Amino acid sequence: MRRWDTRRAAKAERIAAAQPYATGKVVDQQRLIDLLHNVIRPGDRVALEGDNQKQADFLSRTLVDCDPARLHDLHMLISSVSRTEHLDLFERGIATILDLAYAGPQSVRIAQLVEDGVVRIGAIHTYVELYARMFTDLAPDVALLCAELADADGNLYTGANTEDTPTIAEAVAFHDGVVIVQANEIVPTDQLPRVDIPGSWVDLVVTADRPFALEPLFTRDPRHIGDVEILKAMIALRGVYERHQVVSLNHGVGFDTAAIELILPTYGEQLGLKGRVARHWVLNPHPTLIPAIESGWVESIHSFGGEPGMERYTAARPDVFYTGADGSLRSNRVLAQLVGQYAVDMFIGSSLQIDGNANSSTVTDGRLSGFGGAPNMGHDPHGRRHASVTWLDLAHGEGADRRGRKLVVQIAQTFRAGGVPTFVETLDAVAAGEQAQMPLAPVMIYGDDVSHVVTEEGVAYLYKAHSLADRRAALAAVAGVTPVGRGARDVEKLRSDGLVAFPEDLGVPTRLATRSLLAARSIADLVAWSGGLYDPPAQFRDW
Amino acid sequence: MRRWDTRRAAKAERIAAAQPYATGKVVDQQRLIDLLHNVIRPGDRVALEGDNQKQADFLSRTLVDCDPARLHDLHMLISSVSRTEHLDLFERGIATILDLAYAGPQSVRIAQLVEDGVVRIGAIHTYVELYARMFTDLAPDVALLCAELADADGNLYTGANTEDTPTIAEAVAFHDGVVIVQANEIVPTDQLPRVDIPGSWVDLVVTADRPFALEPLFTRDPRHIGDVEILKAMIALRGVYERHQVVSLNHGVGFDTAAIELILPTYGEQLGLKGRVARHWVLNPHPTLIPAIESGWVESIHSFGGEPGMERYTAARPDVFYTGADGSLRSNRVLAQLVGQYAVDMFIGSSLQIDGNANSSTVTDGRLSGFGGAPNMGHDPHGRRHASVTWLDLAHGEGADRRGRKLVVQIAQTFRAGGVPTFVETLDAVAAGEQAQMPLAPVMIYGDDVSHVVTEEGVAYLYKAHSLADRRAALAAVAGVTPVGRGARDVEKLRSDGLVAFPEDLGVPTRLATRSLLAARSIADLVAWSGGLYDPPAQFRDW
């Protein structure tokens, strides 16, 4: 007679084994390590939060101190491998397999550990893929999650950085896994500002030894924006935003898109674009967007996560940001991803390397960084979609085959710092993939999904190319004197055919491309624009 | 001085205006109409649930009785336009604009009302698109939602049909809209089996006059499965599932895929495929899957919604289905969609019409049906994806351009009932789109996303075609004597090149294609397989 409740029975045993170290759902902070020893089992799949920004670091720091004789061969699912101990788990023999989406600060070490056979990679996913597999063939046995506040029943207040928590909690809570949550504080129920995740989904809560780690990943200091970024921003605004009437959009993170945000109230205003473009956004609360918001450009922003220092500002602008009944920001990575994939007209972001076919990757020599959400945002969903003016502006095909296209824009300078070319014959990712024995090269965004490339030279309208050869030629024409750009041919014909536009073709006055055009030139300017509501983290203050 | 909290202020006014008809959050059932008059305002965007299965019908029936002099020009967002009163709202002048994803039973009437100018269509979305736009440019002012149980604080238990409720609730609750929920019963908090949606997200709850409407849309009576469906199922099993080692998958709803489900424990077992294919599923709890589950084929099923009659069965099989700590099914449409788009190897579904390029649509003469989730499931996400054996089996390109492909399989009989050809020169959708002045033809699945077409003639391996001409030729070779099939040429060459396979090429013994191969031949057989746990709805019982 087959049993059909093995997961439920195992969960009941795990919860029973936790009882010596907990009162109801509340774990004795001093005994967390004993509890983890008793609840987690060798070979378990463990989802550890590991988000883009917030980190369940009390849980990860405690897990890494566990005894590898008791806990070993764990299969870790970590959206963002951000902390030293995420990899220490492997060096200590506690974990062996890793499924991830992103590995920013740990990307060099992870590449080394894979080469050494210490880390076995399941796959490098996008965020939404990794979540999706938690409901399919990678159902976790245990989740180690993170909240700002909890009550004794396990009801959670995530604060502004809701991020991945509800999605992982759902995967685990509704398939008889054990959900363990660290909270900065456990408070009486009536002191929870709101409930982001119901206690029914949570098995155990523990007060963290210190507030969870959170990085200000989306803050760009305007002082580092130079004339070239401003020129690219002007070119993008005229050649893409204005030309295609981009109403809804996602900006990647980087100085190029920060420059665009900062010239909306100046150059954008002069072009008469306010209210016509860039009205609905999906992105984290970028401080560099404050001047555009205050100038009335922005109708709505839905966010993947929060941003340290933007708590009071977002709470004071509820018409723009998504906030709860308590007034504080609510974010949600999986839903923001859907917005970025299906609701908006355009994705625009930067890349470290772009090849002649417009394939791009942030995986460069010796790094295994993953891509987070960019590959999903940076692709044109190929099936049916609702029509928008922008999407239809790129329509192609006839009859039943006719459809529009989401704008996928890559913005980059032809050379990176140190004279390293951005545009290359072959991506480093190809060799990196072979070296790490990956089934495919770790490409971030595929060239055939890219509709536009913007550089300081101009715009390549790749979507207009009828052949791969045309696409390569258009790209080369804006790639400067890089290896790709040196192959440029027939540039005048490309201009007259509209496959390429230079600043003079777009009416962009290059002489205006100076820092005078920035609505804010420093973090202090952003604070002033916010009316004192923005509280920049210490590392961004110089006053 | 600009105000930044106009939505919050409006919400506070609306909630205050509700107070005469509510005690705390609990609405006086007899005064619901007065409350709706006071809370909703002319021109509001109103998200009405309107799911694929469950219906907030007490709210919709009451809304349609409102006074058009007080409530008019509403902009309705309804995932699934399923009920008469959804369209009565427009005839009565209460609503004017409709954004939708699906309109099954109302598809003929909706087409007429659009033609008459009574209904103005915003767009026909897919489910995930419609949700995504609720976080972008279609933020609702009011949500009218549905739950099985609520408490006086607004905590909700959705039961098995969670479906769209958490996603719509999140869009509205976190952007200062008003969330109104009908529940079958309001109970003390400790009598809620679990909390699916926290009370913090809910403003008002009302006890419905009768339990919410729910249709058994995913129940297929095996008695209607004939020899041709069984032959197609055998061809699909050998030519697709076995050949490409399809481990994770989504089945559309229809007798073709039901036939596949029912021959897994017979023909599939004989082929030695158990444990090798079809292990992880995303689909509603199809009763026709019971024999495969009981035979040990199925490791996991994540569901978009529930299915009436499957409550006790799903609760008794928690290793397979996603259930809560209380033991009952939890579904979630948006997350199941992500599974279907990003985690699985294959989508397979039926269509009413397929053209020579393999474009397909369920929009046929006089119907404006929408497509729900099929266009998203039935496309190959074009950006980066994790690799699976199946996905890599369809890999193409070199170097950075190399990538795999999700299987998108269309299964269809060459002629539908009444001798109507499935394969046609031009989809009815093209004319329908023009007539309704839609920007694009309402195509469901685009031909270039389709990797395989299965008919009773054989399999067309469209992904192997190097040109549109090859693709058309391969499709024609399995299209029988339909207008498309009559154009078939060079069939032997297509067979030898592997673009087409007939039953004899696949080793499918056509003489076995009889009802004897079905593991269950009636609803009663399914009940028996379930050990009495499946409780079929009355209309499916004949004993």
Side-chain angles (χ1 to χ4, degrees):
Chain A
M1 184 85 179
R2 174 169 168 188
R3 286 198 56 175
W4 296 94
D5 62 350
T6 60
R7 291 181 65 89
R8 180 162 301 164
K11 174 170 179 168
E13 287 170 19
R14 291 160 190 259
I15 297 292
Q19 284 321 305
Y21 313 112
T23 306
K25 292 184 175 182
V26 178
V27 178
D28 177 351
Q29 188 194 65
Q30 306 302 319
R31 307 300 297 274
L32 177 63
I33 192 164
D34 302 302
L35 181 130
L36 294 181
H37 277 138
N38 274 16
V39 170
I40 306 177
R41 296 176 176 180
D44 270 358
R45 269 196 293 261
V46 177
L48 170 65
E49 200 167 13
D51 290 0
N52 190 236
Q53 291 181 290
K54 76 172 171 181
Q55 306 295 329
D57 62 309
F58 180 48
L59 289 166
S60 57
R61 284 183 280 111
T62 307
L63 184 62
V64 86
D65 285 339
C66 284
D67 178 1
R70 296 191 59 179
L71 280 192
H72 48 84
D73 294 302
L74 299 186
H75 177 164
M76 303 301 299
L77 311 180
I78 308 180
S79 301
S80 178
V81 179
S82 309
R83 296 181 56 82
T84 312
E85 70 264 18
H86 291 169
L87 294 177
D88 293 344
L89 286 170
F90 293 83
E91 288 195 322
R92 292 208 63 228
I94 293 171
T96 49
I97 309 180
L98 174 63
D99 276 277
L100 76 160
Y102 183 67
Q106 301 296 329
S107 59
V108 173
R109 187 168 162 221
I110 210 170
Q112 190 57 52
L113 289 176
V114 169
E115 200 176 319
D116 297 346
V118 174
V119 171
R120 222 170 85 214
I121 299 283
I124 303 183
H125 300 79
T126 62
Y127 289 129
V128 291
E129 277 189 289
L130 183 57
Y131 311 143
R133 290 192 69 192
M134 292 185 192
F135 293 90
T136 318
D137 55 344
L138 295 181
D141 301 293
V142 176
L144 303 176
L145 305 180
C146 189
E148 198 161 312
L149 301 174
D151 69 11
D153 295 326
N155 293 296
L156 306 180
Y157 168 64
T158 60
N161 280 79
T162 315
E163 296 197 77
D164 310 5
T165 320
T167 310
I168 304 174
E170 179 156 353
V172 179
F174 291 103
H175 208 38
D176 289 322
V178 180
V179 177
I180 306 174
V181 182
Q182 71 168 68
N184 292 352
E185 207 181 332
I186 296 176
V187 298
T189 302
D190 60 8
Q191 287 178 31
L192 287 176
R194 67 178 186 238
V195 176
D196 287 292
I197 296 169
S200 309
W201 305 19
V202 174
D203 299 299
L204 296 159
V205 291
V206 61
T207 307
D209 56 353
R210 57 182 196 236
F212 60 78
L214 182 70
E215 289 294 326
L217 296 178
F218 297 88
T219 299
R220 292 292 170 272
D221 188 336
R223 285 194 303 177
H224 302 305
I225 296 175
D227 297 351
V228 180
E229 284 77 30
I230 294 162
L231 175 59
K232 279 183 283 181
M234 294 169 76
I235 292 171
L237 207 51
R238 289 227 77 162
V240 181
Y241 293 61
E242 180 181 26
R243 176 171 295 195
H244 302 295
Q245 302 175 59
V246 175
V247 171
S248 55
L249 70 164
N250 168 247
H251 271 193
V253 59
F255 288 103
D256 287 328
T257 41
I260 297 172
E261 293 157 15
L262 288 169
I263 68 166
L264 291 175
T266 58
Y267 188 55
E269 195 93 20
Q270 186 192 325
L271 295 173
L273 295 179
K274 188 160 91 176
R276 290 172 49 212
V277 308
R279 289 160 47 196
H280 297 285
W281 300 68
V282 56
L283 76 183
N284 279 45
H286 291 187
T288 42
L289 206 45
I290 292 172
I293 295 169
E294 295 299 309
S295 308
W297 279 71
V298 176
E299 284 176 42
S300 73
I301 298 176
H302 188 256
S303 299
F304 305 85
E307 182 64 7
M310 288 289 279
E311 294 82 0
R312 286 196 303 130
Y313 182 73
T314 53
R317 298 291 179 265
D319 279 353
V320 173
F321 291 98
Y322 279 70
T323 59
D326 63 305
S328 71
L329 188 75
R330 159 103 176 180
S331 58
N332 186 318
R333 188 169 318 282
V334 74
L335 293 173
Q337 281 285 151
L338 284 185
V339 172
Q341 291 168 234
Y342 294 107
V344 303
D345 294 326
M346 179 176 79
F347 163 83
I348 179 167
S350 304
S351 197
L352 288 182
Q353 272 194 342
I354 302 177
D355 75 12
N357 288 356
N359 297 304
S360 65
S361 186
T362 50
V363 170
T364 55
D365 197 26
R367 293 182 181 274
L368 212 64
S369 60
F371 312 114
N376 292 127
M377 316 284 279
H379 96 285
D380 174 35
H382 218 216
R384 179 180 173 71
R385 206 195 94 143
H386 72 277
S388 71
V389 169
T390 307
W391 190 80
L392 286 174
D393 197 37
L394 274 68
H396 53 95
E398 296 301 327
D401 291 308
R402 185 165 181 78
R403 75 191 93 163
R405 186 165 172 165
K406 190 176 96 177
L407 270 67
V408 175
V409 183
Q410 294 271 291
I411 183 165
Q413 194 165 341
T414 53
F415 286 85
R416 289 186 278 147
V420 180
T422 301
F423 295 92
V424 296
E425 295 290 355
T426 305
L427 297 178
D428 289 353
V430 175
E434 284 165 11
Q435 194 178 346
Q437 297 186 303
M438 296 168 71
L440 294 179
V443 170
M444 179 170 72
I445 294 178
Y446 286 96
D448 53 6
D449 274 322
V450 177
S451 60
H452 300 69
V453 173
V454 175
T455 73
E456 72 276 22
E457 304 273 331
V459 184
Y461 294 93
L462 301 186
Y463 74 92
K464 288 185 169 181
H466 291 296
S467 67
L468 182 58
D470 280 358
R471 183 144 56 93
R472 292 179 62 92
L475 183 62
V478 299
V481 293
T482 62
V484 168
R486 289 195 298 266
R489 300 281 179 278
D490 300 324
V491 172
E492 287 312 308
K493 172 139 178 43
L494 291 166
R495 284 174 77 179
S496 62
D497 289 350
L499 266 76
V500 166
F502 293 150
E504 55 268 38
D505 305 323
L506 298 167
V508 170
T510 54
R511 66 181 163 76
L512 293 185
T514 69
R515 285 180 46 83
S516 306
L517 217 56
L518 295 178
R521 285 164 225 161
S522 65
I523 294 283
D525 282 356
L526 294 173
V527 175
W529 268 104
S530 77
L533 291 167
Y534 172 41
D535 305 303
Q539 67 263 46
F540 291 102
R541 292 169 182 269
D542 62 354
W543 60 89
Chain B
M1 185 86 179
R2 174 168 166 188
R3 285 199 57 176
W4 296 94
D5 62 349
T6 60
R7 292 182 64 89
R8 180 162 302 165
K11 175 170 180 169
E13 287 171 19
R14 291 160 191 260
I15 296 293
Q19 284 321 305
Y21 313 112
T23 308
K25 292 184 176 182
V26 178
V27 177
D28 177 352
Q29 188 193 65
Q30 306 303 318
R31 308 300 298 274
L32 177 63
I33 192 163
D34 302 301
L35 181 130
L36 294 180
H37 277 138
N38 273 17
V39 170
I40 307 177
R41 296 175 176 180
D44 270 359
R45 268 196 294 262
V46 178
L48 169 65
E49 199 168 13
D51 291 0
N52 190 237
Q53 292 182 290
K54 77 172 171 181
Q55 306 294 329
D57 63 309
F58 180 48
L59 290 166
S60 57
R61 285 183 279 111
T62 307
L63 183 62
V64 85
D65 284 339
C66 284
D67 178 1
R70 296 192 59 179
L71 280 192
H72 48 84
D73 294 303
L74 299 186
H75 177 164
M76 303 301 298
L77 312 179
I78 309 180
S79 302
S80 177
V81 179
S82 310
R83 297 181 56 82
T84 311
E85 70 264 18
H86 291 169
L87 294 177
D88 292 346
L89 286 170
F90 293 83
E91 288 195 323
R92 293 208 62 227
I94 294 171
T96 48
I97 309 181
L98 174 62
D99 276 278
L100 76 159
Y102 183 68
Q106 302 296 329
S107 59
V108 173
R109 186 168 164 222
I110 210 172
Q112 190 58 52
L113 290 176
V114 169
E115 200 176 321
D116 297 346
V118 174
V119 172
R120 222 171 84 215
I121 299 283
I124 302 182
H125 300 78
T126 63
Y127 289 130
V128 292
E129 277 189 290
L130 183 56
Y131 310 144
R133 290 192 69 192
M134 292 185 192
F135 293 89
T136 318
D137 55 344
L138 295 181
D141 301 293
V142 176
L144 303 176
L145 305 179
C146 189
E148 198 162 311
L149 301 174
D151 70 11
D153 294 327
N155 292 297
L156 306 181
Y157 168 64
T158 60
N161 280 79
T162 315
E163 297 196 78
D164 310 6
T165 320
T167 309
I168 304 173
E170 179 156 351
V172 180
F174 291 102
H175 208 40
D176 289 321
V178 180
V179 177
I180 306 174
V181 182
Q182 70 168 67
N184 292 351
E185 207 181 331
I186 296 176
V187 298
T189 302
D190 60 8
Q191 288 178 31
L192 287 176
R194 69 177 185 239
V195 176
D196 287 291
I197 296 169
S200 310
W201 304 19
V202 173
D203 299 299
L204 296 160
V205 291
V206 62
T207 307
D209 55 354
R210 56 182 196 236
F212 60 77
L214 183 69
E215 289 294 327
L217 296 178
F218 297 89
T219 299
R220 292 292 171 272
D221 188 336
R223 287 195 303 178
H224 302 306
I225 296 176
D227 297 351
V228 181
E229 284 76 31
I230 295 162
L231 176 59
K232 278 182 284 181
M234 295 171 74
I235 292 171
L237 208 51
R238 288 227 76 163
V240 182
Y241 292 61
E242 180 182 27
R243 176 170 295 194
H244 301 295
Q245 301 175 60
V246 176
V247 171
S248 55
L249 70 164
N250 169 247
H251 271 192
V253 59
F255 287 103
D256 287 328
T257 42
I260 297 172
E261 293 158 14
L262 287 170
I263 68 167
L264 291 175
T266 57
Y267 188 55
E269 195 94 19
Q270 186 192 323
L271 294 173
L273 295 179
K274 188 159 91 177
R276 290 172 49 212
V277 308
R279 289 160 47 194
H280 296 285
W281 300 67
V282 55
L283 76 184
N284 279 45
H286 291 188
T288 42
L289 206 45
I290 292 172
I293 295 168
E294 295 299 309
S295 308
W297 279 71
V298 177
E299 285 175 43
S300 73
I301 297 175
H302 188 256
S303 299
F304 305 84
E307 182 65 8
M310 288 289 279
E311 294 83 359
R312 285 196 304 130
Y313 182 73
T314 53
R317 299 290 179 266
D319 280 353
V320 173
F321 291 98
Y322 279 70
T323 58
D326 62 304
S328 71
L329 188 77
R330 159 101 176 181
S331 57
N332 186 317
R333 187 170 318 284
V334 74
L335 293 174
Q337 281 284 150
L338 284 185
V339 172
Q341 290 167 235
Y342 294 107
V344 303
D345 294 325
M346 179 176 79
F347 163 82
I348 178 166
S350 304
S351 198
L352 288 182
Q353 271 194 343
I354 302 177
D355 74 13
N357 288 355
N359 296 304
S360 65
S361 184
T362 50
V363 170
T364 56
D365 196 28
R367 291 180 184 276
L368 213 62
S369 60
F371 311 114
N376 291 127
M377 317 283 279
H379 96 285
D380 174 35
H382 219 217
R384 179 180 172 71
R385 206 196 94 142
H386 72 278
S388 72
V389 170
T390 306
W391 191 79
L392 287 174
D393 198 36
L394 274 68
H396 53 95
E398 297 301 327
D401 292 309
R402 185 165 182 79
R403 74 190 93 165
R405 187 166 170 162
K406 190 176 97 178
L407 272 67
V408 175
V409 183
Q410 293 272 291
I411 184 166
Q413 195 165 341
T414 53
F415 285 85
R416 290 185 281 151
V420 180
T422 301
F423 295 91
V424 296
E425 294 290 355
T426 305
L427 298 178
D428 288 354
V430 175
E434 283 166 10
Q435 194 178 346
Q437 297 185 304
M438 296 168 71
L440 294 179
V443 170
M444 180 171 71
I445 293 179
Y446 286 96
D448 53 5
D449 275 323
V450 177
S451 60
H452 300 70
V453 173
V454 176
T455 72
E456 72 277 22
E457 305 272 332
V459 183
Y461 295 93
L462 302 185
Y463 74 92
K464 289 185 169 181
H466 291 296
S467 67
L468 181 58
D470 279 359
R471 182 143 58 92
R472 292 180 63 92
L475 183 62
V478 299
V481 293
T482 61
V484 169
R486 289 196 297 267
R489 300 282 180 278
D490 300 324
V491 172
E492 287 313 307
K493 172 139 177 39
L494 292 166
R495 284 174 77 181
S496 61
D497 289 350
L499 266 76
V500 166
F502 293 152
E504 54 270 37
D505 305 323
L506 298 168
V508 171
T510 55
R511 64 181 164 77
L512 293 185
T514 70
R515 285 181 45 83
S516 306
L517 217 56
L518 296 178
R521 285 164 225 161
S522 65
I523 294 284
D525 282 357
L526 294 173
V527 174
W529 269 103
S530 78
L533 291 166
Y534 172 42
D535 305 303
Q539 67 263 45
F540 290 103
R541 293 169 182 269
D542 61 356
W543 60 89

